[in-house]
Each structure stands twice: as structure tokens, then as C-alpha cells.
Amino acid sequence: ELVRLIAAGRGAKGAGAFPAELRDLESKLALLRYDTVESLGSADVQGKEGEQGIVSLASYRADFKFGEYDPASDTISITDFKLSRLDGDQLAPMIKTTLNLKLGQTTIMGVTRQPNSPRALMMVLSARR
């Protein structure tokens, strides 16, 4: 699984400048009306059913558990997915959910303070064998 963390914004000066490493996400983020992005890091995470996964990028941490693989739908379940912000030595929870990721497909989750916020934190997940 590839995990990327992205800071996204709307209407900033220099809008439309996508870093080369994020070009594959440009059209997807444009649908969400974000025109500036900054990579905060990426990580390759490997695991088997039942194993824990932890990813720390920038000042954020994602904790999750690899769930079952469903061959009929070609998906893997990611359970107890928690995204937290590191605040000193404390974790401030931001989101908790369960995901079903289709292998080979990119899933983008966004977190904002308010629904129409001009800035967002995007977690990009790509499951693969």
C-alpha cells in the first residue's frame, strides 16, 4: 500500500502549480476544486491480514489494521483507520473510519476544519499486491 499526505489549497497565488510527484492526482484534486498542492511525504506500507500499520508523515500519524482481502471484489479492508495530528508528544485525533480499498485504485480522503475551508489535508491511499 502506498500512502501519501498532501496539503491542498484553493485560490492561492501561483495556483495551478502541481509538483511533478503529484501530477497523477491533478485531475482528481481539480474535481475537489483544489488548485495548489504540497507533498508532505509518502510511505510504502506492507502487511498481512490482521497486522497493524503505522505511518508517520510530517506532523501526522495514521494507525490502522489490515483487514481481509475479498477476491470477489478485489478489495482489502482497512479497519480502525485513525488519522491524528502530532501535537508535541500527544496525538490529537482527526478522523476514524473503515475503508475498503480496491486493488490498483487510488482513494483520496480529505480533512478540513470547515466544509468550505480553502485548505485541506489529503490522505491518498493506493492498495496493491
Side-chain angles (χ1 to χ4, degrees):
E1 180 173 352
L2 177 64
V3 178
R4 294 187 276 180
L5 192 62
I6 299 167
R10 291 188 185 120
K13 289 184 178 181
F18 269 71
E21 71 269 18
L22 300 176
R23 287 265 183 232
D24 61 312
L25 301 174
E26 188 170 8
S27 63
K28 292 172 179 65
L29 292 175
L31 290 172
L32 300 172
R33 299 182 330 194
Y34 289 103
D35 52 14
T36 60
V37 295
E38 174 189 357
S39 176
L40 300 178
S42 65
D44 253 330
V45 182
Q46 296 181 15
K48 297 178 184 166
E49 289 180 13
E51 290 183 347
Q52 288 290 127
I54 298 174
V55 176
S56 293
L57 297 170
S59 57
Y60 299 93
R61 178 172 145 170
D63 296 89
F64 54 90
K65 188 173 184 180
F66 289 96
E68 293 183 10
Y69 169 71
D70 179 11
S73 63
D74 203 26
T75 60
I76 184 165
S77 175
I78 302 295
T79 60
D80 295 327
F81 181 93
K82 294 176 251 176
L83 179 62
S84 304
R85 182 177 34 84
L86 297 170
D87 191 5
D89 60 351
Q90 300 292 312
L91 290 175
M94 297 173 69
I95 191 171
K96 181 179 179 182
T97 190
T98 295
L99 303 164
N100 291 311
L101 302 176
K102 185 161 184 67
L103 295 185
Q105 188 174 42
T106 299
T107 301
I108 302 174
M109 289 190 314
V111 180
T112 63
R113 289 182 190 249
Q114 300 172 0
N116 292 321
S117 177
R119 296 198 40 82
L121 180 67
M122 301 288 179
M123 177 75 67
V124 181
L125 306 165
S126 302
R128 48 181 200 245
R129 290 190 199 278

